[in-house]
Amino acid sequence: MNITDRQQEIMDTAIAIIAEEGIQKLTTKALSRRIGISEPALYRHFENKLAILVAILEHFSQWSRIVLWEIVESDRSPEDKIRELFRRHAVRFVESPATSAVLFSEEIFKNHPELVQSMTGIMSAAEGFVRHILEEGIAAGRLRADVPLEHLAMVTLGALRLLVTRWRLNDYGFDLQAESDRLAGSVVAMVAVSP
Amino acid sequence: MNITDRQQEIMDTAIAIIAEEGIQKLTTKALSRRIGISEPALYRHFENKLAILVAILEHFSQWSRIVLWEIVESDRSPEDKIRELFRRHAVRFVESPATSAVLFSEEIFKNHPELVQSMTGIMSAAEGFVRHILEEGIAAGRLRADVPLEHLAMVTLGALRLLVTRWRLNDYGFDLQAESDRLAGSVVAMVAVSP
Amino acid sequence: MNITDRQQEIMDTAIAIIAEEGIQKLTTKALSRRIGISEPALYRHFENKLAILVAILEHFSQWSRIVLWEIVESDRSPEDKIRELFRRHAVRFVESPATSAVLFSEEIFKNHPELVQSMTGIMSAAEGFVRHILEEGIAAGRLRADVPLEHLAMVTLGALRLLVTRWRLNDYGFDLQAESDRLAGSVVAMVAVSP
Amino acid sequence: MNITDRQQEIMDTAIAIIAEEGIQKLTTKALSRRIGISEPALYRHFENKLAILVAILEHFSQWSRIVLWEIVESDRSPEDKIRELFRRHAVRFVESPATSAVLFSEEIFKNHPELVQSMTGIMSAAEGFVRHILEEGIAAGRLRADVPLEHLAMVTLGALRLLVTRWRLNDYGFDLQAESDRLAGSVVAMVAVSP
DNA sequence: TATGAATGAGGATTCATTCAT
DNA sequence: CATGAATGAATCCTCATTCAT
């Protein structure tokens, strides 16, 4: 499953289109025109338009797993791990804003089972890692135990998602990095045991 | 801006299609066929396909304002108001699952400024009401003041959104009502001052 | 299943194209252009390109059944019925040469089960009627009994088909009517008991 | 016109595809994939896709000429020669069912004059040989003279063609060999002078 | 108030073929 | 002898919308 240069270019361009104009504008014509090749040429590199999206999701999925794993495995405190979770995602989204468009727009994929599956996979992986961090924190007595673990996770991820969604609807118009750091602080405060 | 019966029927059917098959399947053909009228007939009642969506959003916007206003104005405690916020939304979404599809899929409207505006209006209205409730709670010394108001709001709304999103991706497959109540409890715990 | 004027026009034009240029040239573009309408217009009248072909086959199927029934029911001698079978088909093919292109080119439909079914239906109906005629003739002692009924039918239909096929490959370049009459005479001679 | 191994492989594979999926599925892509080479590679061995079909027809043409010549030259009785004609063809078609698909689907080639010519050549060669056999039989007083020679030929070949066509539409689902033998018997009976 | 007929623009995809390597 | 990359032309089909009736 190695990705050729052309494939990467196609994926990047697709991501760019999604970021700038939304998924609805991601047509084979727009895609090929922007790359500077013919439409049929796309089919030399991907079987389908769907396959392009799947590859993109797969790509992010890998990134996600790696990053989350690094965070989990680091010897930070649980609180720091949560802050790092926010930070790394913010960095990524700022670098490639489209990623957020793809990742947080599940609805769009509804018609395509393959995509839904990919999406769900990514989401539950993230959830799993976050739970892991939180569990650790609870065990260490640093995070609150009066609230079900799953709710801690939902609050954490929900806040992150909402922030990113607003940033996107805002046309990437504010400093996600900074806002993310601030929000992370608050989330940690709310998730931690009271001092 | 009175809505005729036919208009209501069109909106309801549109909502149904969105709920069952996703926004991408909301075509004039599908819509008219399901109602049992011809495609051009739709244009007797709405100027545009867009106008239908705007009307739907407007419709929800009104509901939203009314409900939130009732909650804010009630003489419940701030904590109860938050719980009520979750409850009323859950009730609504269970009654009309499509609403959630429309409300939480902002990405889809990206191409249509009118829709984005409608959406943003609804979102900031909700945010405003929630802030109001939280402010009140902070003033009363019942909600925590160590975290910026806006972050309290983001955590609250973010959690609610994430729950509903999962419910939707899950094909409405779990008891949103019950889960929502449980989550509300946890959110309240995290948002309130420690006992 | 009443056929509108437009539908008939589409069918006729499709038949014409098939006759003149072969089935491979029957594209939605060619069809619409020749009628003088847009491609999408076709889809107002038929769900599919396939549906057009099915309608054509169905149309012929009806004609076939009626004609064959008339022949079978008439009070001609079995020999005359066979001659009439040849004659009526020749008349029809001369009137609408395309019919023969459609009817005797089964291979073309191979990919589409619906069409194969239609075709097979027509073929076996014809076979049935012919057998009926032959049976009658055998019972009356006028047709030979030393050869299995099915073989009499195959020889009869096979000869007719081959004649028409040649006429078609010959670009309709000889007098099918006359040749058909002559061939019918010979077939009758071979199928009848020797004098 | 020597055929290389690769060319033979390409022809065989083309024949296989035609047999299994019909001529319409014979695409350069399908062909190359099935052989395990790239599409352009085909063009090293044949100038055209058309050239492949021409070669196939040519190939069969040679076989046809040889076989028919052998039959004509043998010292069988005319009746036996007809039976042998059926038998040899049946053997060949059973060995390579695609041959029948190619041979009896003239319609498909309509657009390509080269192919039509090949086809017509084959057909008239066959017709010629058959006439030769029949003539011989008539001269010997064993075959009927009350019917024009050409009609004897048409009945003979028409019956054979129809049998094979049915076998093909039937997805090669019955024992062509046996049926062919039976049919040959009947045809001989009808073509011979009455005892 | 409704519709039957039509359409321009665009959708994803397939095809046989070419060319530089 | 082979291929990876590319393509122009074409394929069937869908969409939101319009217009005369």
Side-chain angles (χ1 to χ4, degrees):
Chain A
M1 281 275 181
N2 273 343
I3 291 175
T4 68
D5 285 359
R6 202 42 131 189
Q7 281 177 323
Q8 191 60 55
E9 188 184 6
I10 292 173
M11 288 165 63
D12 290 344
T13 311
I15 289 175
I17 292 176
I18 293 171
E20 293 166 27
E21 317 181 54
I23 276 234
Q24 317 245 30
K25 289 285 176 67
L26 178 67
T27 66
T28 52
K29 182 181 275 185
L31 188 49
S32 59
R33 193 199 305 266
R34 190 143 160 177
I35 298 177
I37 60 177
S38 69
E39 275 183 84
L42 293 175
Y43 290 81
R44 283 279 144 198
H45 304 281
F46 288 98
E47 203 190 325
N48 259 351
K49 186 180 147 185
L50 210 64
I52 300 175
L53 288 168
V54 169
I56 291 175
L57 286 182
E58 199 50 44
H59 194 63
F60 180 81
S61 172
Q62 279 175 27
W63 171 85
S64 194
R65 260 175 256 270
I66 292 169
V67 165
L68 287 164
W69 185 250
E70 279 177 20
I71 297 176
V72 165
E73 287 294 280
S74 70
D75 54 2
R76 290 180 173 80
S77 69
E79 292 95 326
D80 269 3
K81 286 181 178 174
I82 292 172
R83 285 191 204 95
E84 188 67 4
L85 174 80
F86 275 68
R87 213 183 56 74
R88 295 288 285 268
H89 275 86
V91 168
R92 164 81 178 205
F93 293 145
V94 167
E95 271 174 6
S96 165
T99 308
S100 69
V102 177
L103 264 190
F104 291 170
S105 313
E106 317 83 5
E107 180 65 12
I108 291 168
F109 307 136
K110 199 150 194 185
N111 302 334
H112 304 287
E114 302 94 322
L115 295 181
V116 171
Q117 211 181 352
S118 271
M119 272 301 315
T120 328
I122 294 176
M123 285 183 74
S124 24
E127 163 106 14
F129 282 112
V130 172
R131 278 187 191 227
H132 195 282
I133 294 173
L134 295 169
E135 234 161 13
E136 193 184 18
I138 296 170
R142 306 178 64 102
L143 301 188
R144 57 199 309 165
D146 62 331
V147 159
L149 176 59
E150 60 173 309
H151 288 168
L152 290 182
M154 286 186 75
V155 160
T156 305
L157 288 174
L160 176 55
R161 281 178 68 98
L162 183 51
L163 177 66
V164 175
T165 295
R166 285 195 178 155
W167 177 64
R168 205 157 27 83
L169 286 184
N170 213 336
D171 271 326
Y172 316 111
F174 60 78
D175 182 348
L176 179 64
Q177 195 76 59
E179 289 303 322
S180 164
D181 280 353
R182 289 184 55 230
L183 180 57
S186 296
V187 164
V188 164
M190 299 172 77
V191 154
V193 297
S194 343
Chain B
M1 280 279 180
N2 273 343
I3 291 175
T4 68
D5 284 359
R6 205 40 138 187
Q7 281 178 322
Q8 191 59 53
E9 188 183 5
I10 292 174
M11 288 164 62
D12 290 344
T13 311
I15 289 176
I17 291 176
I18 294 171
E20 292 165 27
E21 317 180 56
I23 276 232
Q24 317 243 35
K25 290 281 177 67
L26 179 66
T27 66
T28 52
K29 185 178 188 175
L31 188 50
S32 58
R33 193 201 303 264
R34 188 142 159 179
I35 298 179
I37 61 178
S38 70
E39 278 182 82
L42 293 176
Y43 291 81
R44 285 278 145 197
H45 304 281
F46 287 99
E47 203 191 325
N48 261 347
K49 184 180 149 186
L50 211 65
I52 300 174
L53 287 168
V54 170
I56 290 175
L57 286 181
E58 200 51 43
H59 193 64
F60 181 80
S61 172
Q62 279 175 28
W63 170 86
S64 194
R65 260 177 256 272
I66 293 169
V67 164
L68 287 164
W69 185 250
E70 280 177 17
I71 297 177
V72 166
E73 286 296 277
S74 70
D75 54 2
R76 289 180 172 81
S77 69
E79 292 95 326
D80 269 3
K81 286 181 178 176
I82 293 173
R83 284 191 204 95
E84 188 66 5
L85 175 80
F86 275 70
R87 211 182 57 74
R88 295 287 286 265
H89 275 87
V91 168
R92 165 81 177 205
F93 293 146
V94 167
E95 271 174 7
S96 163
T99 308
S100 70
V102 177
L103 266 189
F104 292 170
S105 313
E106 318 82 8
E107 181 64 13
I108 292 168
F109 308 135
K110 201 151 192 182
N111 303 332
H112 304 288
E114 301 95 319
L115 295 181
V116 172
Q117 210 180 353
S118 270
M119 272 304 312
T120 328
I122 295 176
M123 285 182 75
S124 21
E127 163 106 14
F129 282 111
V130 171
R131 279 190 192 224
H132 195 283
I133 294 172
L134 296 168
E135 232 161 14
E136 193 185 17
I138 295 169
R142 308 178 63 102
L143 302 190
R144 60 200 306 165
D146 63 332
V147 157
L149 177 59
E150 60 174 309
H151 289 170
L152 289 183
M154 285 186 74
V155 160
T156 305
L157 288 174
L160 176 54
R161 282 177 67 98
L162 183 50
L163 177 64
V164 176
T165 295
R166 286 195 179 157
W167 178 63
R168 205 157 27 84
L169 287 185
N170 215 335
D171 271 326
Y172 316 112
F174 59 79
D175 182 347
L176 178 64
Q177 196 74 60
E179 289 303 321
S180 164
D181 281 352
R182 289 185 56 230
L183 180 58
S186 297
V187 165
V188 165
M190 300 172 78
V191 155
V193 296
S194 343
Chain C
M1 281 279 178
N2 274 344
I3 291 176
T4 68
D5 285 359
R6 200 45 130 189
Q7 280 177 324
Q8 191 60 53
E9 188 184 6
I10 293 174
M11 288 164 62
D12 290 344
T13 311
I15 289 176
I17 292 176
I18 294 171
E20 295 166 25
E21 317 181 55
I23 274 235
Q24 317 244 30
K25 287 284 174 67
L26 178 67
T27 65
T28 52
K29 182 182 273 185
L31 187 50
S32 59
R33 195 200 305 266
R34 189 143 159 177
I35 299 178
I37 60 177
S38 69
E39 273 184 86
L42 294 175
Y43 291 82
R44 285 276 146 199
H45 303 281
F46 288 99
E47 204 189 325
N48 259 351
K49 187 180 146 183
L50 211 65
I52 299 174
L53 288 168
V54 169
I56 291 175
L57 287 182
E58 198 51 42
H59 194 64
F60 181 81
S61 171
Q62 280 175 27
W63 171 86
S64 196
R65 260 175 254 271
I66 292 169
V67 165
L68 287 164
W69 185 250
E70 279 176 19
I71 298 176
V72 166
E73 286 295 281
S74 69
D75 54 3
R76 290 180 172 81
S77 70
E79 292 95 325
D80 270 1
K81 286 182 179 176
I82 292 173
R83 286 191 202 95
E84 188 66 5
L85 175 79
F86 275 68
R87 213 183 54 74
R88 293 287 287 267
H89 275 85
V91 168
R92 164 82 177 205
F93 293 146
V94 167
E95 271 174 7
S96 164
T99 307
S100 69
V102 176
L103 264 192
F104 293 168
S105 313
E106 318 82 8
E107 180 67 13
I108 291 169
F109 306 135
K110 200 152 192 183
N111 302 335
H112 303 287
E114 301 94 321
L115 296 181
V116 171
Q117 211 181 353
S118 271
M119 274 301 314
T120 328
I122 294 175
M123 286 182 73
S124 22
E127 163 104 15
F129 282 111
V130 171
R131 281 190 189 225
H132 195 281
I133 295 173
L134 296 168
E135 233 160 14
E136 196 184 12
I138 296 171
R142 309 178 64 102
L143 301 188
R144 59 200 304 166
D146 62 332
V147 157
L149 176 60
E150 58 174 310
H151 289 168
L152 290 182
M154 285 186 76
V155 160
T156 306
L157 287 174
L160 176 55
R161 282 178 66 100
L162 183 51
L163 176 64
V164 176
T165 294
R166 286 195 179 156
W167 177 63
R168 205 156 28 82
L169 286 185
N170 215 334
D171 271 326
Y172 316 113
F174 59 80
D175 181 348
L176 179 63
Q177 195 74 62
E179 290 302 323
S180 164
D181 281 352
R182 290 184 56 231
L183 181 57
S186 298
V187 165
V188 164
M190 301 173 78
V191 155
V193 295
S194 341
Chain D
M1 278 280 178
N2 274 340
I3 290 177
T4 68
D5 284 359
R6 205 38 138 191
Q7 280 176 324
Q8 190 60 54
E9 187 183 6
I10 292 174
M11 288 165 62
D12 290 344
T13 312
I15 289 177
I17 291 177
I18 294 171
E20 294 166 26
E21 318 180 57
I23 276 233
Q24 318 245 30
K25 289 283 178 65
L26 178 66
T27 67
T28 52
K29 185 177 186 176
L31 187 50
S32 59
R33 193 200 302 266
R34 188 140 159 180
I35 299 177
I37 61 177
S38 70
E39 279 182 80
L42 293 175
Y43 291 81
R44 285 280 143 197
H45 305 281
F46 287 99
E47 201 192 328
N48 261 349
K49 185 181 148 184
L50 211 64
I52 299 174
L53 288 169
V54 170
I56 290 175
L57 286 181
E58 201 50 45
H59 193 64
F60 181 80
S61 173
Q62 279 175 29
W63 170 85
S64 194
R65 260 176 257 269
I66 293 170
V67 165
L68 287 163
W69 186 249
E70 279 177 18
I71 297 176
V72 166
E73 288 294 282
S74 70
D75 55 3
R76 290 183 173 80
S77 70
E79 293 95 324
D80 268 2
K81 286 182 178 174
I82 292 172
R83 285 192 204 94
E84 188 67 5
L85 175 80
F86 275 69
R87 212 183 56 75
R88 294 287 286 266
H89 275 84
V91 168
R92 164 79 176 206
F93 293 147
V94 166
E95 270 174 8
S96 164
T99 307
S100 70
V102 177
L103 265 191
F104 292 171
S105 314
E106 319 83 6
E107 182 65 15
I108 291 167
F109 308 136
K110 201 151 194 183
N111 305 330
H112 304 287
E114 301 95 321
L115 295 182
V116 172
Q117 211 182 352
S118 271
M119 272 302 313
T120 329
I122 295 176
M123 285 182 75
S124 24
E127 164 104 15
F129 282 112
V130 172
R131 279 188 192 228
H132 196 283
I133 294 172
L134 295 169
E135 235 160 12
E136 193 185 15
I138 295 170
R142 308 179 62 103
L143 301 189
R144 58 199 306 164
D146 62 334
V147 157
L149 175 61
E150 61 174 309
H151 289 170
L152 289 182
M154 285 185 74
V155 158
T156 306
L157 288 173
L160 176 54
R161 282 178 67 97
L162 183 50
L163 177 65
V164 176
T165 295
R166 287 199 178 152
W167 177 63
R168 203 155 30 79
L169 287 184
N170 213 338
D171 271 326
Y172 315 112
F174 58 80
D175 182 348
L176 179 64
Q177 196 74 61
E179 290 302 323
S180 164
D181 281 352
R182 290 185 55 230
L183 181 58
S186 297
V187 165
V188 164
M190 300 173 77
V191 153
V193 295
S194 340

